Structures are given as C-alpha cells and as structure tokens.
Amino acid sequence: MSGSGSRTEMTLSQAPEFRLAIIAVLVFALMAVLSPDRFLSAQNLTSMAFQFPEFAILALAMTITMTTGGIDLSVVGVANLSAVIAAAILTSLAGPEATGIVAVMWLAVALVASLAVGAAAGFFNGILVTRLGLPPILATLGSGLVFTGFAVAMTGGSAVMGFPDIVSVIGNSTIWFVPVPLILFAVLAIALHILLTRTGFGLRVTMYGANPLAALYAAIDIDRILLRVYVIAGMFSAVAGMVIMSRANSAKADYGSSYLLLAVLIAVLGGVNPYGGYGRVIGVVLAVLSMQFLSSGLNMLQVSNFARELIWGALLLLVMVINTTNWAGLRAGRKPAKTG
Amino acid sequence: MQAPDTPAFVEMTGVTKHYAGVTALDGVDFTVHPGEAICLAGENGSGKSTLIKILSGVEPASDGEIRIGGELMTGHTPRDATAAGVLVIFQDFSLFPNLSVAENIAFANELTEGRRIYSRRHARAVAQRMLHRIGVDIPLNAKLETLPVAHKQLVAICRALACEARLIIMDEPTTALTGKEVTVLLDIIRVLKEQGVAVIFVSHKLAEVLAVSERVVVLRNGKKVAEGDAAEFDAASLTRHMTGRDVAEASPGAFDGSGEMLLSVENLQKQGSFRDISFSMQTGEVLGITGLLGSGRTSLAKALFGLVAPDSGRIVVDGEEVPLGDPIASAEARIGYVPEDRLTEGLFLTQSILRNVAVGRLQEHERNGFLDLRGLVDEAADWLTRLKVKTPSITAPVQSLSGGNQQRVALARWMARAPRLLILNGPSVGVDVGSKAEIHDIIRDLGHQGLGVIVISDDLPELLATCHRILVMKGGAMTDEFAGGKISEDVLSQKLTS
Amino acid sequence: MMSDRWKELLARNEALVALVIVLFCIVATLSDPNFFTVTTLSDLLRASIVLGILAIGCMLVLISGGIDVSFTAVAVSAMYMTTKLSLAVWPDMPWPLIFALSIGFGALLGAINGTFIAIFGLPTLIVTLGTLSVFRGFLLTFVGSDRISALPPDMREFSRMMIARGTTESGDFYALPWSLAALLGVILLTAFILHKTMLGRSIFALGGSVESARRLGIDVRRTQFFVYVYVGALAGLAGILHGSMGRMADPFSLVGLELSVIAAVVLGGARLIGGYGTITGTLLGVALIVLVQNSLIVIGIPSTWQSVTIGALILLGTGLPAYQAKRAAARAG
C-alpha cells in the first residue's frame, strides 16, 4: 500500500524524502566539485561503500522500533554481544588455522549463533516492553547495559581475535566489485522496505505507532507485533555486529560505541517520526548516503574526524528546524484539539 | 432573573468571528449578571465554543464589543480575562496530576499575584479557604491523580475561586459525573451563586443543569436563536431550538423474533464495574444498553469485546463460548466494537482513510505473507461507498474528515470484517445533527441485514429511534428492560435516575 | 500479605534503592570488614561529586518532561574551553574566576539547547542528541584534542583544598575535598529552586501537563529555557570539578557517561513522562551507581560484571513499578 501513505496527499516536493534526496545530491555534487579527482575516484567510492553499512544497518534496526513510537538503545550492545559470541566460536572451536570447508562450516555456525543471540536479545527487549510495560527507552537503556555487560564479562574487556581467514569475507571482500557489506545493507534495506509496505505486519507496525490505543481497539495483536519488531531489530543489530567483527578482524565489548547516537540521528534525519507512525526506508537510505558523502568528502578536504561529528549534529538540527512546521502538525494530529 | 438595575458583569454586543471564510459567530449579544447561572446550549459547530474562547481571551473577535465588569476589553488575553474574574473550567479540568490538591488550587492565584517565592503554607491556607467556601473536604496533601473525577472538578472550581472568579464557565460539566455527583455539584453551584459568582454551563446535555439555571441561551450556526427564562424550557424544546427541527425519529418497534439465537451473556461479573449480567439477543436485533455514568455500561461494552476481563461469567456467540478478556479472540468470533472516543480510541488520525478501513482486513488479504494491495483497496473503497463517506480521496488522512464521516470510516472497518455482532458505543457522540440521523439509518439497516447490534448510549432519543429493546443499567446491575416503541423518553429518563 | 503501608513504601523507588544500598553494604561488610570504614566512605563520596551534580541537572530536565543526553558534552566543553582560555590569557587566574567561567560556558551551551527546545519547539531527545555531536565535534575540531595536564595552578590548588583530612584512631585515612561543598551547594540551590520558588513549581507543573501550564498562564518557553540553561551551568561546574580533581583537562573524558547518569536519576524515581523526581531519590540512585562502579568486587562480583549489574538494576528498579502500574490498570478495567 505504498501509494496510500498518510503523506501522499502532499505533492512530491513536500515529502521529506524528496528534500533528503536533494540534500544527498547536493552534498555529492559539492564534494565532487571541491575534490573531483579524489572524491570521485573508484578507490574512494569503494571505501565509502565499505564504511557505512555497519552503522547504516543499525539505523535500519532503529527505524523499525521508532516506527512503533519506541526506540532501541541496545542495538550496539546487541551487535557487540553477538559478535563476541560468534568470535568465541570462531577462535576457540575453529581457530585461526582453520581453512576450507571446516572454516566455512564454523563460520556458518558462528553466524547462526550471532543471529540467534540477536533474536534472543530482541525477544528480551520485547518482553520488557510488552509484559512489564516498561517504556522502550528505559527497557533498552537497561538491557543495552546488560548485553554490553555480558560481552565485557565474557571477554574481560579485551578484544577477541584469531579468526580463520574466511571471516574477512563478510566485511572486506567484494562480489563483482560490489563490497559485501554494501550488499548486506542493500538486502536488509529492501527487505525492511518490503516488510513495512507490503505486508500486513508492516502496516500494523505503522498503525500501532500512529495510535497505540486505536490499535488495541482494532483488535491488533499488539504484544506479538512489538515482540517481532524488537526481535527484528535485534537480528539486524547482530548482522551489523558481524560486519563490524569482520572488518575489525576481532570482537570487543566496546566497539562502535559512537554508533548508537549515529543510528538514532540517521533515522530521525531520514524522516522517521520518533513519536511513531511514520518511517520510510528510502528516507533512511538517503540520510545514510548524505552523511557518508559528507564525512568522506570532508576527509578528502583534510577536515578532521571530529568535524564530522560536528557536521552530522548540525545537519540533524538543521533538518529538524526546517521540518518544524511538519512536526507541529504531526504532534497536533496526535492530540486533536477539541472543537465544539 | 436579576433585577434590571443590577449592572451586567459581562456584556457582549454584536460579537462576530470569521475563520478562513467561515462565519463561526454572527453578531451575537450575550450578557451575564452577577450571581446568575446561564445554560449556553448548542450542537457541535453552533458557535458556543467560539463564544467562550472570545470571552476568555483565547481568540480575538472579528467584530463586536466586549465589556467585562463595565470595562471595554480590546484584544484581551487569557491572563487579562483571568484578572477580570472570568475563568474557564475545561472538560479536562487542566489540572496537574503530579501536584497536591493544595498546590493545584493555589497555583493560578500565586501566579497572578506575581509571586516569585512559593510558600507551601500560603498555598495550603488559600486552598483550605476555598474548599471551605464551597463546603467540601478534600485532603490538601493528596496527589491530584489519586482523586476521583468529581473531586478533580471541585478542585478546578476552587482554583477558579482562588483567582477571585466572578464568572466561572464550565465546559460540559456533567458528562463525567455520576448521578449523585451531579447533585453535589448543583448544590455547590447554588452556594457560588449566593456568593455572587456567575456560572455559564456550556453543554449539549442540559437537562441536568436546567434546575439551577436562571436563563438559557441557544446558539445555532453562529447565531443566537433562543433566549429566555430557564423555566420556559424543557429537554424537548431545547433540542428543538438546538437542531432547528423536531428530531423525533420513528421507533423500529419491538423485534419480531424472527432471528436465530446470536449472543447469550451469562452471569457476567466484574468487581467494581458490573455484576450478574445475563441477557441474550438474536440476529437482526438492535439492542440498546443505557445507564448513567458509573452504571457500568461502558465497562460492560468493553467486556463484551474482551477489552476488560470479567471475573466470571460466559459469553456465547453462535453457540460457541468466546474467551473472556481477549479482544483478538472476540474479533475472531466476529464481534466488532466501535469505541466512543473516535479521536483517541477509534481512528488512526494521521493515517489515510484507506488504511483506517483496511487495517481490519489485513489477514484476509495476505497471500504468502504479502498484501494483495489491489484487493484491499477495492474492498475498502467499496465499503466507503456503501457507507456514503464523502471524501475527495481515500488516501487523505482520516483527520481531514468531518465527525460524521469519521464515524462512518470507523464503522466501515468493522463492516468489512462481516461481523455477526457489532457493539457501538456512543455511535453519534460529537456528530452533527444531519449525520446523526443518517448514522441511525445505518444502524437500523445493519439490523435488517441480519447482524446483531448493541448500541451503548445515554442519548435516549437515539436509543428510542434505533433499538428494538432497551436494557437499563444502574449501579453495575441490569435493572429494567423495555421493548422498543413501548416506552417514552420521559419514563426511560425516570428509570435511569430513580 | 504485606500491609498496605509497606506496599506503598516499597512502591517508592527511593525506598527500594535505599534498601538495595543497605543490603549491598551489609554483604560487603560481611565479606570484607575493611569495607565499612571512613576511608571507603570518603572515597565513595568523592567519586559521587561529579556524577551527583550531573544527575541533579538531569533530574531537573526529566521533571520538566524532557530528556537531555548532551550534558556530558557541555561539561567537557566548558571545562576544556575554560582551561585553554585561562592558560592562554591568564594562567594565574584565581579558581573562583575559573569556576565562574566554566559555569558561564556551560550556561551558554545550555542556552543553545534551550533555544532549539523552547523557541523552535523541537523534541528534546533529538535536539540534545544533535547538540551532543555538535558540542563535542566543535570542541575537538576547533578548541583542541590534546590532554592537558599542566593545568592553571589555581585549578590544581583547588583540588588540594580539603574541608577535612586526616587519619582516624583506627588508622583509616580520609579526605573530604572542597569540591564536596560544591555538590552540597548545588543540592541546596536546586532544592530551593524546586520547592521554594514559583519557577521551580512551574517546572513540576510543566512536567505534569504542558497544556494545563499554558492555559494557566505559566510562561512555558521561559521555564523550559531556564531548565536547559541551569542544567548547562551545572554541567559546566561538574566539568571543571572533574578536570581539577583529575588534575587533567581531557577533552575525551565524561562523554559516554550520560546513560549512567540518566540511569541513576531514573533509579531514583524520576519518570520519563515528566513531573516526578526527588533530590533524595536522585542522590540515592547516584550512590548506588557509584557503589556498583567502585565496590562490586567487595561483594564477590568481578568488576567486569559492572555493566550487567547496573543494567539489571535499571530493569528491576523501573520494571517493578511499571509492572505494578500495568496490573493495577488491568484490574481497574
């Protein structure tokens, strides 16, 4: 029902995704003009494609929880916990010398284990939100600490390394010149888009986010929907954990700690309504691209790493201010004024 | 009526208000004398809210003159109105749930006095004095959120008094009160009037407050259509003035008993809400359940749909027992429920009309996990046409529709699920007069189509116009049963309150 | 069956947290008699100063119905900018001026948050998330990214000033720095604002219902703006205390602590929906977090389990009341 979104009554140019597309193109063009030989080089383009998927996948996890009006602050914790467990399997059971079919088999076991950990962690979050009635922000703040804590306790806080070579395939190889992490991100993004727009589940997710009480009265199985949302977020986080592990060739409890805020930032920048009820994957993808063009272009221009953080934050605030009128409308929409 | 020589406290002359091309208020004259109680009556959209907003400074008038306490007000703000002694008690009371009773009462007063330092002792003294003034006793330290609704209202009245109110405007003051609480409120209003405080009741259900009022003013389509001594009005004449016509619709009469057994409810019980409820109904029957607030009617309605879990009892639909307290199981048993509050419970306001209808039929339109969008759209569009929803586009957000059309969308969602039993809680609350009659037509038609319909309402004409049978609830129990067409509004009204 | 009064008491987070602290101390003392000494107490107190000041600011935001994740960035920025400025302009700057400067920087950054939140009306989480990045990015890009251990002399001097120091008769060493007085001052000032001024009551009112506050004539924007400026000022104070007590201006420190601080505040009973929060509860929450961070090992839990413990405490401490509320709502129908 993609053609029936609540914003289709607006013209294309008013859609937040359209604005984002313009921003993405402008940023790309600007960087290409400022540093044509290096920004447009094949090497830079590939390196960008290797860099962003890990946090972009986390942003997808954030997107689906935010669409319900919730949030998942445990994504990085889940990613690291699942990576640490996968790493334990890869180092202690497979070992760095493993090759060929044995290595592939252990990698498969490790991947399944990490996905299972992600799903279990998400299920735990879902239970906290549905059965205990905790606000998602608190539930996942607490559970995020618990997941990270388990990873710390298992590793004593140090990095786990010594994987079979095959592990680097996930994060560092290409298929027909396309980096594997990018393929993973693309597959997950398309899957999430289809899930949100073409399935009953996805529509229920959005509707619940728009008005939880009305969802209850419409006999939507809210608990099951929310459980599945957090399980999906957990599994996406686990995939991100695998990419991080493979690229770093190790797993550690505190990898990617800056990714949490980045994931929230990208989701909001991508037009996802943090109060729930609206979120489109295309917007999130455009937000990710804008951020990556911007940060790697700035790298080319010898701008320090820290300036990226500054610019990301400024971009978020700018987009929010531009959208202010929209927000006011959305918020008013949730609390309709009483008219006599 | 007040002696003519008493100067008016509020004098509004020729007040007019235009909103983007619509005239909400058209040259209305309105006066209030000290110590006078006035019923300001009108349907939704009649302009009564606009009049109050202008008087209380929330919105400026487009034209006309407003005097409060003899002084000409030009572009006054809510704060100016408060300072002049005009206070509004909104339907939600606008209190702070997390603060104590004392603070809630004293807050506005401390604020208008321009205090910077907050003195708990002073606040308590003010609060105590105000509670004493209306002769009620509420613990000063209690957190407001722990109080029953009626007490919250009294706190709101005290707050107004603490601001030296000379006129208190009460928006729908009795809708959330039980019969006994209304009596208490009316006694307090009498006390206020003796103290020279004027009161305006803004409501579309006025029968209850007529007893303490001196004067009635009726608005319709932004114009004052009637004004006079309260004694000259009764419920029927008020309705006539408000709607501009006699809305007495024909009763469908008693049910002919031609249906099959559809629903039987046996000894349904929930502590503190309702007890020992048993009744049954057939297909094609329209059953009304009525009662005052606090009678348990809404809890029972929710329990029938599984939104409230009864402690014991059985609900059987088409010979099969429905699990209690499980809305999803109830929906699977083909029970539908259209809630009273469309805006917060019934509809997904920001979402499209289409989605609001389709959300009930997602499961049936899933093929291998994917939605058959074409089928969904066609089906939803079909129902919207059948229920005559007027909209330029079914992808417009549902909040862009009028109240009546919104209610039809809520109905369409359940109709699309082909229910056996449809429970309508307050089907025409907040719907304009014209749409109301049409919704009644739809309800009667649902019965003809062989559905069982339960209408939960305290709108007696509505029940009389739609139901074959009316059950009356009082204090959580079923007390009376009447066949349609065999009872008048007055008798029914007596049975409710006696 | 528990009596109602017990239930009521236990339903309050303060009581629950206090109980856990007492239990913790009993177990700790049983397993290590050296735990319950003046030395441990003074160590824990010192460890609570910065966290405590940040938590009180954070609590204020929660009471007003918002949330702030940027205060650690404000703290570290104010501290580092003050240090740099002082070293560049007047290395011998007296410490009161240094402190005032840092508080001023903090208030300024807080005003930026306040502008976006109170004037533009943007959601607080999103704004502070953005400013967290902006403040830190600005600091590291334009101000500097080196750790400075050659602090202005008066800053180091301050950290050596003690209210009391010595050794008890049983030979336990203790030291109470003047920075503790800063925490006390913040507690008193905040308590005064919250309970004795209309501004403070307005903050509670705002958290209870923004719409009602507006209708009553409370200046919602001004109140919100004040909250964020005040929190910024407190963060500036906490930052400079952190720098001077650690005898190093580290632009990478503090950031990352925000979730622990929020955890402490929430454990202490402040609610995310706004309108609720007490200083006592917040301080108890801080005490518990500091205990877990510093003394977990004493009760036989390896310190690597610190995160798990804090996380579990948050889930239990907020989950229990949430579950009770959910059950009560279901019963009421």
Side-chain angles (χ1 to χ4, degrees), chain B residues 374-455:
Chain B
R374 200 64 258 156
L376 255 185
V377 172
D378 289 347
E379 188 184 77
D382 181 41
W383 277 106
L384 290 166
T385 321
R386 281 161 78 173
L387 290 176
K388 301 194 185 103
V389 175
K390 295 177 200 77
T391 172
S393 155
I394 59 171
T395 59
V398 78
Q399 60 190 348
S400 64
L401 295 178
S402 69
N405 278 319
Q406 285 182 354
Q407 186 67 339
R408 283 167 225 233
V409 171
L411 261 173
R413 178 191 306 156
W414 285 108
M415 290 308 296
R417 293 182 69 130
R420 300 278 290 153
L421 171 65
L422 199 53
I423 303 165
L424 307 174
N425 195 354
S428 63
V429 172
V431 165
D432 57 275
V433 194
S435 289
K436 197 167 177 171
E438 287 179 36
I439 284 173
H440 293 167
D441 282 340
I442 294 174
I443 294 172
R444 282 186 292 260
D445 193 43
L446 292 176
H448 296 148
Q449 290 171 26
L451 269 76
V453 182
I454 296 181
V455 179

Side-chain angles (χ1 to χ4, degrees), chain A residues 1 6 198 200 211 214 338 340, chain B residues 45 91 345 347 350 366 371 373:
Chain A
M1 208 173 299
S6 64
R198 298 267 180 250
N211 185 348
K338 194 184 160 305
Chain B
Q91 206 177 352
E345 300 169 341
L347 294 172
T350 55
E366 251 172 345
L371 284 174
L373 296 181

Side-chain angles (χ1 to χ4, degrees), chain B residues 172-427:
Chain B
E172 304 284 356
T174 55
T175 22
L177 301 187
T178 63
K180 214 181 274 171
E181 289 163 346
V182 171
T183 318
V184 174
L185 174 68
L186 297 187
D187 285 342
I188 288 169
I189 300 292
R190 286 192 189 95
V191 173
L192 290 181
K193 283 164 60 183
E194 279 164 26
Q195 296 172 0
V197 178
V199 180
I200 300 177
F201 299 107
V202 185
S203 182
H204 61 265
K205 271 166 49 187
L206 290 165
E208 292 163 324
V209 290
L210 268 178
V212 290
S213 304
E214 274 80 31
R215 210 146 48 84
V216 173
V217 172
V218 185
L219 295 183
R220 188 169 74 229
N221 297 330
K223 290 199 177 80
K224 189 159 79 179
V225 292
E227 177 169 16
D229 204 315
E232 296 163 12
F233 289 84
D234 58 19
S237 66
L238 265 180
T239 314
R240 198 162 51 240
H241 286 300
M242 276 157 62
T243 58
R245 55 180 157 138
D246 284 304
V247 279
E249 295 172 59
S251 160
F255 190 56
D256 57 10
S258 62
E260 296 153 21
M261 182 59 113
L262 172 65
L263 166 76
S264 92
V265 173
E266 296 162 22
N267 306 99
L268 213 56
Q269 189 134 337
K270 176 164 176 69
Q271 188 155 22
S273 297
F274 50 81
R275 59 180 189 276
D276 203 20
I277 303 288
S278 298
F279 65 92
S280 61
M281 65 185 288
Q282 297 184 343
T283 54
E285 189 174 4
V286 181
L287 177 70
I289 298 180
T290 186
L292 296 174
L293 209 93
S295 63
R297 63 177 152 94
T298 297
S299 289
L300 177 62
K302 288 183 173 177
L304 292 177
F305 185 61
L307 290 162
V308 161
D311 304 325
S312 60
R314 269 157 49 94
I315 300 173
V316 179
V317 173
D318 276 334
E320 298 216 11
E321 189 167 344
V322 182
L324 298 177
D326 182 353
I328 291 139
S330 302
E332 273 163 11
R334 296 171 70 191
I335 303 176
Y337 179 77
V338 180
E340 189 172 15
D341 188 342
R342 275 189 309 279
L343 303 182
T344 63
E345 300 169 341
L347 294 172
F348 303 88
L349 289 175
T350 55
Q351 303 288 317
S352 66
I353 297 166
L354 172 59
R355 282 187 178 194
N356 268 282
V357 177
V359 69
R361 290 279 293 167
L362 297 177
Q363 216 159 358
E364 293 73 12
H365 287 275
E366 251 172 345
R367 307 269 176 277
N368 310 320
F370 293 100
L371 284 174
D372 165 24
L373 296 181
R374 200 64 258 156
L376 255 185
V377 172
D378 289 347
E379 188 184 77
D382 181 41
W383 277 106
L384 290 166
T385 321
R386 281 161 78 173
L387 290 176
K388 301 194 185 103
V389 175
K390 295 177 200 77
T391 172
S393 155
I394 59 171
T395 59
V398 78
Q399 60 190 348
S400 64
L401 295 178
S402 69
N405 278 319
Q406 285 182 354
Q407 186 67 339
R408 283 167 225 233
V409 171
L411 261 173
R413 178 191 306 156
W414 285 108
M415 290 308 296
R417 293 182 69 130
R420 300 278 290 153
L421 171 65
L422 199 53
I423 303 165
L424 307 174
N425 195 354

Side-chain angles (χ1 to χ4, degrees), chain B residues 78-79 82 90 92-99 103-104 106-108 110-111 115-120 143 145 159 270-271 273 299 302 307-309, chain C residues 63 192 194-199 201-219 222 271 274-276 330-333:
Chain B
R79 255 194 151 140
T82 306
F90 291 95
D92 65 3
F93 306 142
S94 298
L95 297 167
F96 302 106
N98 56 329
L99 300 184
E103 210 172 345
N104 266 293
F107 209 114
E110 315 274 298
L111 213 58
R115 283 170 180 268
R116 289 183 171 270
I117 297 299
Y118 168 73
S119 156
R120 193 158 162 267
K143 280 249 160 75
E145 60 187 347
R159 179 167 81 181
K270 176 164 176 69
Q271 188 155 22
S273 297
S299 289
K302 288 183 173 177
L307 290 162
V308 161
Chain C
I63 290 176
F192 176 77
L194 277 182
H195 299 294
K196 294 287 172 201
T197 69
M198 285 309 286
L199 180 65
R201 302 319 292 168
S202 300
I203 295 173
F204 273 103
L206 207 64
S209 165
V210 182
E211 193 48 43
S212 300
R214 201 166 283 138
R215 281 183 186 160
L216 210 58
I218 293 174
D219 193 335
R222 213 192 57 169
R271 294 193 211 163
Y276 296 86
R331 266 199 305 275

